[in-house]
Amino acid sequence: MTTWPVPRDARGPGATVWAPETVTADPYNAQTPSAALAEPVTPVGAFFVRDHFGIPRTPPGRWRLRIGGAAAAAPFALGYEELLAMEHRELDVVVECAGNGRSLMRPRPPGLPWGQQAVGCAHFAGVPFRVLAARALIGPSAVEIVFTGADSGPVHGRRAAFERSLPLAAALHPDTLLVTRMNGEPLAPEHGAPVRLVVPGRYAVADVKWLVGARAVTRPFTGVFQSEEYLYEASRGTPDGPVAGVRVKSLITEPEPDTAVRRDHETLVRGRAWSGGGVPLRSVEVRAEYEDDDRHRERGWQQALLEAPAGPYGWSAWSYRWTPRRPGPYRLVSCATDARGDTQPPQAPWNARGYGCNPVACVEVVVV
Ligand SMILES: Nc1nc2c(c(=O)[nH]1)N[C@H]1C(S)=C(S)[C@@H](COP(=O)(O)O)O[C@H]1N2
Ligand SMILES: [Mo]
């Protein structure tokens, strides 16, 4: 396996040079810079990267995807040109690591210490997996599809490929895509070139990068990334279920933390919100809290103005016009609620591995 150097910078709109903020150098893991989260579509050069092993490099001309497994009557292999020639579907999708926000949890669970920036929204183009599943004649005995990446390495003392399974219905959903393009460009090496899976509405561990295999299995898959990692656990060894759908969440992009805002002047509070699994957002509410001896709410929750997302899996911009009336430290809090009534908890939820951390977003500022 060849490893790419740390990804190159990319130029954003204007003269912004974007580069993700490194969390670990080898394997390369990096989060989206806060400023880039204000962009409606996260630039590729700013987009967070999560790699368990190295970044494998397969020239598109040598790439093959094998589709088969015990439950497929007509297994076959496919090349890149053939995939490119097939009809593509385009979707804006929020990609969020299940461990995003982990460093807010107390006590802090093991795992990469992500802030709230292991997230981005990209415009993807890809071929629905179901089209290829139909060609492989995947039969009724299939319960799951196991997707295999070209990367592998030691996990818990054994060598494992990066493999994840999806229930058959999720794999065959028309929005589950074999992606060839991100934001209009061929996939970058760190984001899974030449082809990755994108499963809208699920935490991004489902989005297998450097995809080389898809096999239909007749029994639930028990690979290490399925049955030992990516589980919600109340304590270590007591699984509550696998990491699956993205939880509703908002973040505040403006004002920036620890900045000064002016008393009796209107300040625009802005951010982004997403609901995860294709469920529309119902509202984003904002609250301003000030501190003197105790913490006070300036007013109750106020409705933010919510813009339409770019499609069912994209995120929405929201804004709220705030005029603070007293000087001193304030905390701005935002809370998103979706059409199911799911909402953000007031405090970071806790589980042993630090997944699904979606508390209300907070930014502290000083009114002068
Ligand atoms: N082959 C492979 N696919 C992978 C991973 C990996 O390590 N190897 N990491 C997963 C995880 S945990 C996340 S959060 C996303 C990150 O996608 P990105 O690096 O394009 O942002 O890729 C997923 N797909
Ligand atoms: Mo992840």
Side-chain angles (χ1 to χ4, degrees), residues 28-30 47-54 56 95-99 114 118-120 124 148-151 161-164 182 187 190-192 196-197 203-211 225 230:
Y28 181 60
N29 287 293
F47 211 96
F48 86 97
V49 179
R50 172 68 176 111
D51 292 334
H52 290 78
F53 309 114
V95 176
E96 183 178 14
C97 181
W114 297 118
V119 64
F124 290 111
T148 306
D151 52 334
F162 189 84
E163 287 192 310
R164 287 277 307 177
M182 178 175 180
L187 276 184
E190 65 275 23
H191 295 296
R196 81 177 300 173
L197 188 69
Y203 278 120
V205 65
D207 301 342
V208 178
K209 301 194 278 189
W210 314 296
L211 188 69
F225 292 106
Y230 296 97

Short mmCIF file of all heavy atoms in Angstrom, two decimals, residues 28-30 47-54 56 95-99 114 118-120 124 148-151 161-164 182 187 190-192 196-197 203-211 225 230, ligand 1:
data_model
loop_
_atom_site.label_atom_id
_atom_site.label_comp_id
_atom_site.label_asym_id
_atom_site.label_seq_id
_atom_site.Cartn_x
_atom_site.Cartn_y
_atom_site.Cartn_z
N TYR A 28 -3.43 9.63 8.61
CA TYR A 28 -3.83 11.03 8.52
C TYR A 28 -5.29 11.22 8.93
O TYR A 28 -6.19 10.65 8.33
CB TYR A 28 -3.61 11.51 7.09
CG TYR A 28 -3.97 12.96 6.88
CD1 TYR A 28 -3.32 13.96 7.61
CD2 TYR A 28 -4.96 13.33 5.99
CE1 TYR A 28 -3.65 15.28 7.44
CE2 TYR A 28 -5.30 14.66 5.82
CZ TYR A 28 -4.65 15.63 6.55
OH TYR A 28 -4.99 16.94 6.39
N ASN A 29 -5.49 12.02 9.99
CA ASN A 29 -6.83 12.39 10.42
C ASN A 29 -6.84 13.89 10.66
O ASN A 29 -5.92 14.42 11.30
CB ASN A 29 -7.23 11.65 11.70
CG ASN A 29 -7.52 10.18 11.44
OD1 ASN A 29 -8.49 9.85 10.77
ND2 ASN A 29 -6.65 9.31 11.92
N ALA A 30 -7.86 14.57 10.16
CA ALA A 30 -7.87 16.03 10.25
C ALA A 30 -9.30 16.52 10.28
O ALA A 30 -10.20 15.87 9.73
CB ALA A 30 -7.16 16.61 9.02
N PHE A 47 -12.16 19.68 3.86
CA PHE A 47 -13.05 18.62 4.36
C PHE A 47 -12.32 17.69 5.32
O PHE A 47 -11.22 17.22 5.02
CB PHE A 47 -13.57 17.82 3.17
CG PHE A 47 -14.94 17.26 3.38
CD1 PHE A 47 -16.05 17.93 2.90
CD2 PHE A 47 -15.12 16.06 4.05
CE1 PHE A 47 -17.33 17.42 3.08
CE2 PHE A 47 -16.39 15.55 4.24
CZ PHE A 47 -17.50 16.22 3.75
N PHE A 48 -12.93 17.37 6.45
CA PHE A 48 -12.28 16.49 7.43
C PHE A 48 -11.93 15.14 6.80
O PHE A 48 -12.57 14.71 5.83
CB PHE A 48 -13.18 16.30 8.66
CG PHE A 48 -14.19 15.19 8.56
CD1 PHE A 48 -13.92 13.93 9.11
CD2 PHE A 48 -15.41 15.38 7.94
CE1 PHE A 48 -14.85 12.89 9.02
CE2 PHE A 48 -16.34 14.35 7.86
CZ PHE A 48 -16.06 13.11 8.39
N VAL A 49 -10.92 14.51 7.36
CA VAL A 49 -10.45 13.21 6.84
C VAL A 49 -10.36 12.24 8.02
O VAL A 49 -9.83 12.58 9.08
CB VAL A 49 -9.05 13.34 6.19
CG1 VAL A 49 -8.57 11.97 5.68
CG2 VAL A 49 -9.08 14.35 5.05
N ARG A 50 -10.91 11.03 7.82
CA ARG A 50 -10.79 9.99 8.85
C ARG A 50 -10.26 8.73 8.18
O ARG A 50 -10.93 8.14 7.32
CB ARG A 50 -12.17 9.71 9.47
CG ARG A 50 -12.20 8.50 10.41
CD ARG A 50 -11.39 8.76 11.66
NE ARG A 50 -11.46 7.66 12.62
CZ ARG A 50 -10.43 6.86 12.92
NH1 ARG A 50 -9.27 7.01 12.31
NH2 ARG A 50 -10.57 5.91 13.83
N ASP A 51 -9.05 8.37 8.54
CA ASP A 51 -8.41 7.17 7.99
C ASP A 51 -7.99 6.26 9.13
O ASP A 51 -7.32 6.72 10.05
CB ASP A 51 -7.12 7.55 7.24
CG ASP A 51 -7.41 8.33 5.99
OD1 ASP A 51 -8.51 8.19 5.44
OD2 ASP A 51 -6.52 9.09 5.57
N HIS A 52 -8.35 4.98 9.06
CA HIS A 52 -7.90 4.03 10.08
C HIS A 52 -6.51 3.51 9.78
O HIS A 52 -5.77 3.15 10.69
CB HIS A 52 -8.87 2.85 10.17
CG HIS A 52 -10.18 3.24 10.78
ND1 HIS A 52 -11.15 3.92 10.08
CD2 HIS A 52 -10.65 3.08 12.03
CE1 HIS A 52 -12.19 4.13 10.88
NE2 HIS A 52 -11.91 3.63 12.07
N PHE A 53 -6.17 3.43 8.49
CA PHE A 53 -4.86 2.89 8.11
C PHE A 53 -4.20 3.97 7.24
O PHE A 53 -4.38 5.13 7.50
CB PHE A 53 -5.05 1.55 7.40
CG PHE A 53 -5.93 0.57 8.15
CD1 PHE A 53 -7.15 0.18 7.65
CD2 PHE A 53 -5.52 0.09 9.38
CE1 PHE A 53 -7.96 -0.70 8.36
CE2 PHE A 53 -6.32 -0.80 10.10
CZ PHE A 53 -7.56 -1.19 9.58
N GLY A 54 -3.47 3.58 6.22
CA GLY A 54 -2.92 4.60 5.31
C GLY A 54 -3.93 4.95 4.23
O GLY A 54 -5.07 4.51 4.26
N PRO A 56 -4.59 4.24 0.54
CA PRO A 56 -4.14 3.42 -0.58
C PRO A 56 -4.30 4.18 -1.89
O PRO A 56 -5.20 5.02 -2.02
CB PRO A 56 -5.07 2.21 -0.54
CG PRO A 56 -6.28 2.66 0.18
CD PRO A 56 -5.89 3.79 1.08
N VAL A 95 -21.69 14.68 5.72
CA VAL A 95 -20.85 13.54 6.10
C VAL A 95 -20.34 13.86 7.51
O VAL A 95 -19.66 14.87 7.71
CB VAL A 95 -19.66 13.40 5.11
CG1 VAL A 95 -18.72 12.29 5.55
CG2 VAL A 95 -20.17 13.14 3.70
N GLU A 96 -20.70 13.03 8.47
CA GLU A 96 -20.29 13.30 9.85
C GLU A 96 -19.72 12.03 10.46
O GLU A 96 -20.35 10.96 10.42
CB GLU A 96 -21.48 13.79 10.70
CG GLU A 96 -21.04 14.15 12.12
CD GLU A 96 -22.15 14.68 13.01
OE1 GLU A 96 -23.34 14.54 12.64
OE2 GLU A 96 -21.81 15.20 14.08
N CYS A 97 -18.53 12.14 11.03
CA CYS A 97 -17.94 11.01 11.74
C CYS A 97 -18.76 10.73 13.00
O CYS A 97 -19.18 11.66 13.70
CB CYS A 97 -16.50 11.35 12.13
SG CYS A 97 -15.68 9.99 12.99
N ALA A 98 -18.98 9.45 13.28
CA ALA A 98 -19.75 9.08 14.48
C ALA A 98 -19.07 9.59 15.75
O ALA A 98 -19.72 9.82 16.77
CB ALA A 98 -19.90 7.57 14.54
N GLY A 99 -17.75 9.79 15.69
CA GLY A 99 -17.01 10.27 16.86
C GLY A 99 -16.93 11.79 16.94
O GLY A 99 -16.29 12.34 17.86
N TRP A 114 -11.90 14.35 18.56
CA TRP A 114 -12.54 15.32 17.67
C TRP A 114 -13.22 16.43 18.47
O TRP A 114 -13.86 16.15 19.48
CB TRP A 114 -13.63 14.64 16.83
CG TRP A 114 -13.23 13.57 15.87
CD1 TRP A 114 -13.62 12.27 15.91
CD2 TRP A 114 -12.42 13.69 14.68
NE1 TRP A 114 -13.10 11.58 14.84
CE2 TRP A 114 -12.36 12.43 14.08
CE3 TRP A 114 -11.74 14.76 14.09
CZ2 TRP A 114 -11.66 12.19 12.90
CZ3 TRP A 114 -11.04 14.52 12.92
CH2 TRP A 114 -11.00 13.25 12.34
N ALA A 118 -15.57 17.28 12.82
CA ALA A 118 -15.40 16.10 11.95
C ALA A 118 -16.68 15.94 11.14
O ALA A 118 -17.40 14.94 11.22
CB ALA A 118 -15.10 14.86 12.78
N VAL A 119 -16.98 17.00 10.39
CA VAL A 119 -18.23 17.05 9.61
C VAL A 119 -18.02 17.98 8.42
O VAL A 119 -17.17 18.88 8.46
CB VAL A 119 -19.40 17.54 10.51
CG1 VAL A 119 -19.21 18.97 11.00
CG2 VAL A 119 -20.75 17.40 9.82
N GLY A 120 -18.78 17.74 7.38
CA GLY A 120 -18.78 18.63 6.21
C GLY A 120 -19.98 18.26 5.36
O GLY A 120 -20.64 17.23 5.60
N PHE A 124 -22.13 15.27 -4.00
CA PHE A 124 -21.60 14.01 -4.53
C PHE A 124 -22.32 13.61 -5.82
O PHE A 124 -23.52 13.89 -5.97
CB PHE A 124 -21.80 12.88 -3.52
CG PHE A 124 -20.93 12.99 -2.29
CD1 PHE A 124 -21.50 13.28 -1.06
CD2 PHE A 124 -19.55 12.81 -2.36
CE1 PHE A 124 -20.71 13.38 0.09
CE2 PHE A 124 -18.75 12.90 -1.22
CZ PHE A 124 -19.34 13.19 0.00
N THR A 148 -16.06 -3.49 0.97
CA THR A 148 -14.65 -3.63 1.33
C THR A 148 -13.83 -2.49 0.75
O THR A 148 -13.95 -2.18 -0.44
CB THR A 148 -14.09 -4.98 0.78
OG1 THR A 148 -14.94 -6.04 1.24
CG2 THR A 148 -12.67 -5.23 1.25
N GLY A 149 -12.97 -1.90 1.59
CA GLY A 149 -12.03 -0.89 1.13
C GLY A 149 -10.69 -1.54 0.80
O GLY A 149 -10.41 -2.66 1.24
N ALA A 150 -9.85 -0.82 0.05
CA ALA A 150 -8.54 -1.38 -0.34
C ALA A 150 -7.54 -1.29 0.81
O ALA A 150 -6.45 -1.84 0.73
CB ALA A 150 -8.01 -0.61 -1.54
N ASP A 151 -7.89 -0.61 1.90
CA ASP A 151 -6.96 -0.41 3.02
C ASP A 151 -7.13 -1.49 4.07
O ASP A 151 -8.21 -2.02 4.29
CB ASP A 151 -7.17 0.98 3.65
CG ASP A 151 -8.62 1.27 4.03
OD1 ASP A 151 -9.54 0.67 3.40
OD2 ASP A 151 -8.84 2.08 4.94
N ALA A 161 -9.14 -5.80 6.93
CA ALA A 161 -9.43 -4.80 5.90
C ALA A 161 -10.50 -3.88 6.48
O ALA A 161 -11.20 -4.26 7.44
CB ALA A 161 -9.95 -5.47 4.65
N PHE A 162 -10.62 -2.67 5.93
CA PHE A 162 -11.74 -1.83 6.36
C PHE A 162 -12.99 -2.33 5.63
O PHE A 162 -13.13 -2.15 4.42
CB PHE A 162 -11.50 -0.35 6.07
CG PHE A 162 -12.56 0.51 6.70
CD1 PHE A 162 -12.45 0.89 8.02
CD2 PHE A 162 -13.71 0.84 6.00
CE1 PHE A 162 -13.47 1.62 8.64
CE2 PHE A 162 -14.73 1.57 6.60
CZ PHE A 162 -14.60 1.96 7.93
N GLU A 163 -13.85 -3.00 6.38
CA GLU A 163 -15.08 -3.56 5.81
C GLU A 163 -16.26 -3.20 6.70
O GLU A 163 -16.17 -3.29 7.92
CB GLU A 163 -14.99 -5.09 5.74
CG GLU A 163 -14.06 -5.61 4.68
CD GLU A 163 -14.24 -7.10 4.46
OE1 GLU A 163 -14.21 -7.85 5.46
OE2 GLU A 163 -14.40 -7.51 3.31
N ARG A 164 -17.36 -2.85 6.05
CA ARG A 164 -18.59 -2.51 6.76
C ARG A 164 -19.77 -3.09 6.01
O ARG A 164 -19.79 -3.10 4.78
CB ARG A 164 -18.76 -0.99 6.79
CG ARG A 164 -17.81 -0.27 7.73
CD ARG A 164 -18.30 -0.28 9.14
NE ARG A 164 -19.66 0.24 9.23
CZ ARG A 164 -20.36 0.30 10.36
NH1 ARG A 164 -19.83 -0.12 11.50
NH2 ARG A 164 -21.60 0.76 10.36
N MET A 182 -16.79 14.49 -6.10
CA MET A 182 -17.12 15.25 -4.88
C MET A 182 -16.94 16.72 -5.24
O MET A 182 -15.87 17.10 -5.73
CB MET A 182 -16.14 14.83 -3.78
CG MET A 182 -16.28 15.53 -2.45
SD MET A 182 -15.11 14.73 -1.29
CE MET A 182 -15.42 15.69 0.19
N LEU A 187 -12.86 12.19 -7.13
CA LEU A 187 -12.56 12.05 -5.70
C LEU A 187 -11.08 12.26 -5.42
O LEU A 187 -10.23 11.76 -6.16
CB LEU A 187 -12.94 10.65 -5.23
CG LEU A 187 -14.38 10.37 -4.83
CD1 LEU A 187 -14.48 8.95 -4.32
CD2 LEU A 187 -14.84 11.35 -3.76
N GLU A 190 -7.49 11.23 -0.41
CA GLU A 190 -7.83 11.07 1.01
C GLU A 190 -9.33 10.84 1.22
O GLU A 190 -9.75 10.42 2.29
CB GLU A 190 -7.34 12.27 1.83
CG GLU A 190 -7.98 13.60 1.50
CD GLU A 190 -7.32 14.34 0.33
OE1 GLU A 190 -6.67 13.71 -0.52
OE2 GLU A 190 -7.49 15.58 0.28
N HIS A 191 -10.15 11.14 0.22
CA HIS A 191 -11.60 10.94 0.35
C HIS A 191 -12.09 9.71 -0.40
O HIS A 191 -13.29 9.57 -0.63
CB HIS A 191 -12.35 12.20 -0.07
CG HIS A 191 -12.07 13.36 0.83
ND1 HIS A 191 -12.43 13.36 2.16
CD2 HIS A 191 -11.42 14.53 0.62
CE1 HIS A 191 -12.02 14.48 2.73
NE2 HIS A 191 -11.41 15.21 1.82
N GLY A 192 -11.13 8.83 -0.79
CA GLY A 192 -11.57 7.51 -1.28
C GLY A 192 -11.36 7.22 -2.74
O GLY A 192 -11.98 6.29 -3.26
N ARG A 196 -15.85 5.63 -3.85
CA ARG A 196 -16.25 5.34 -2.47
C ARG A 196 -17.77 5.15 -2.41
O ARG A 196 -18.49 5.57 -3.30
CB ARG A 196 -15.86 6.47 -1.52
CG ARG A 196 -16.84 7.63 -1.55
CD ARG A 196 -16.53 8.74 -0.58
NE ARG A 196 -16.50 8.30 0.81
CZ ARG A 196 -16.12 9.08 1.81
NH1 ARG A 196 -15.72 10.33 1.56
NH2 ARG A 196 -16.13 8.63 3.03
N LEU A 197 -18.19 4.58 -1.30
CA LEU A 197 -19.62 4.46 -1.03
C LEU A 197 -20.07 5.70 -0.24
O LEU A 197 -19.32 6.19 0.61
CB LEU A 197 -19.84 3.20 -0.17
CG LEU A 197 -21.27 2.79 0.09
CD1 LEU A 197 -21.93 2.29 -1.19
CD2 LEU A 197 -21.31 1.68 1.15
N TYR A 203 -24.08 7.76 9.85
CA TYR A 203 -22.74 8.23 10.22
C TYR A 203 -21.74 7.69 9.20
O TYR A 203 -21.90 6.58 8.65
CB TYR A 203 -22.39 7.81 11.65
CG TYR A 203 -22.99 8.75 12.68
CD1 TYR A 203 -23.89 8.29 13.65
CD2 TYR A 203 -22.67 10.11 12.68
CE1 TYR A 203 -24.45 9.16 14.59
CE2 TYR A 203 -23.23 10.98 13.62
CZ TYR A 203 -24.11 10.51 14.56
OH TYR A 203 -24.65 11.37 15.48
N ALA A 204 -20.69 8.49 8.96
CA ALA A 204 -19.81 8.30 7.81
C ALA A 204 -18.97 7.04 7.83
O ALA A 204 -18.34 6.71 6.83
CB ALA A 204 -18.91 9.53 7.66
N VAL A 205 -18.96 6.32 8.95
CA VAL A 205 -18.24 5.04 8.97
C VAL A 205 -18.84 4.09 7.92
O VAL A 205 -18.17 3.18 7.44
CB VAL A 205 -18.26 4.43 10.39
CG1 VAL A 205 -19.67 4.05 10.84
CG2 VAL A 205 -17.33 3.25 10.48
N ALA A 206 -20.10 4.34 7.53
CA ALA A 206 -20.74 3.52 6.49
C ALA A 206 -20.18 3.81 5.10
O ALA A 206 -20.33 3.00 4.18
CB ALA A 206 -22.25 3.78 6.49
N ASP A 207 -19.56 4.97 4.94
CA ASP A 207 -19.17 5.45 3.60
C ASP A 207 -17.79 4.91 3.22
O ASP A 207 -16.79 5.66 3.19
CB ASP A 207 -19.15 6.98 3.58
CG ASP A 207 -20.50 7.59 3.95
OD1 ASP A 207 -21.51 6.88 3.87
OD2 ASP A 207 -20.53 8.79 4.31
N VAL A 208 -17.71 3.62 2.93
CA VAL A 208 -16.43 2.95 2.69
C VAL A 208 -15.67 3.61 1.53
O VAL A 208 -16.20 3.74 0.42
CB VAL A 208 -16.65 1.45 2.41
CG1 VAL A 208 -15.32 0.75 2.11
CG2 VAL A 208 -17.33 0.80 3.62
N LYS A 209 -14.45 4.06 1.85
CA LYS A 209 -13.60 4.71 0.84
C LYS A 209 -12.78 3.64 0.12
O LYS A 209 -12.69 2.50 0.56
CB LYS A 209 -12.67 5.71 1.53
CG LYS A 209 -13.44 6.79 2.30
CD LYS A 209 -12.58 7.98 2.69
CE LYS A 209 -11.78 7.74 3.95
NZ LYS A 209 -11.11 8.98 4.42
N TRP A 210 -12.17 4.02 -1.00
CA TRP A 210 -11.30 3.11 -1.79
C TRP A 210 -11.99 1.76 -1.99
O TRP A 210 -11.41 0.69 -1.78
CB TRP A 210 -9.94 2.95 -1.09
CG TRP A 210 -9.39 4.27 -0.63
CD1 TRP A 210 -9.02 5.31 -1.43
CD2 TRP A 210 -9.18 4.70 0.72
NE1 TRP A 210 -8.60 6.37 -0.66
CE2 TRP A 210 -8.69 6.01 0.67
CE3 TRP A 210 -9.36 4.11 1.97
CZ2 TRP A 210 -8.37 6.75 1.80
CZ3 TRP A 210 -9.04 4.84 3.10
CH2 TRP A 210 -8.56 6.14 3.01
N LEU A 211 -13.25 1.85 -2.38
CA LEU A 211 -14.11 0.66 -2.48
C LEU A 211 -13.58 -0.31 -3.54
O LEU A 211 -13.32 0.09 -4.67
CB LEU A 211 -15.52 1.12 -2.84
CG LEU A 211 -16.60 0.06 -2.79
CD1 LEU A 211 -16.86 -0.38 -1.36
CD2 LEU A 211 -17.90 0.59 -3.40
N PHE A 225 -14.90 -3.98 12.35
CA PHE A 225 -15.47 -2.62 12.31
C PHE A 225 -16.99 -2.63 12.42
O PHE A 225 -17.63 -1.59 12.43
CB PHE A 225 -15.02 -1.88 11.05
CG PHE A 225 -13.55 -1.58 11.05
CD1 PHE A 225 -12.68 -2.28 10.24
CD2 PHE A 225 -13.04 -0.61 11.90
CE1 PHE A 225 -11.31 -2.02 10.26
CE2 PHE A 225 -11.68 -0.34 11.93
CZ PHE A 225 -10.81 -1.04 11.12
N TYR A 230 -17.55 0.79 16.62
CA TYR A 230 -18.75 1.50 16.15
C TYR A 230 -20.04 0.97 16.76
O TYR A 230 -21.04 0.77 16.08
CB TYR A 230 -18.79 1.54 14.61
CG TYR A 230 -17.62 2.35 14.11
CD1 TYR A 230 -16.45 1.74 13.69
CD2 TYR A 230 -17.66 3.74 14.17
CE1 TYR A 230 -15.34 2.48 13.32
CE2 TYR A 230 -16.56 4.50 13.80
CZ TYR A 230 -15.41 3.86 13.38
OH TYR A 230 -14.32 4.61 13.04
N1 LIG B 1 -11.76 2.29 3.40
C1 LIG B 1 -12.05 3.12 4.42
N2 LIG B 1 -13.22 3.78 4.39
C2 LIG B 1 -13.54 4.63 5.39
C3 LIG B 1 -12.68 4.80 6.51
C4 LIG B 1 -11.44 4.10 6.51
O1 LIG B 1 -10.62 4.23 7.42
N3 LIG B 1 -11.18 3.27 5.44
N4 LIG B 1 -13.09 5.64 7.55
C5 LIG B 1 -14.53 5.84 7.69
C6 LIG B 1 -14.88 6.85 8.65
S1 LIG B 1 -14.89 6.38 10.29
C7 LIG B 1 -15.31 8.10 8.28
S2 LIG B 1 -15.80 9.23 9.44
C8 LIG B 1 -15.35 8.50 6.85
C9 LIG B 1 -14.60 9.79 6.63
O2 LIG B 1 -14.69 10.20 5.30
P1 LIG B 1 -13.73 11.38 4.79
O3 LIG B 1 -12.32 11.06 5.22
O4 LIG B 1 -13.91 11.45 3.31
O5 LIG B 1 -14.21 12.65 5.46
O6 LIG B 1 -14.80 7.50 6.00
C10 LIG B 1 -15.16 6.19 6.34
N5 LIG B 1 -14.72 5.30 5.32
#
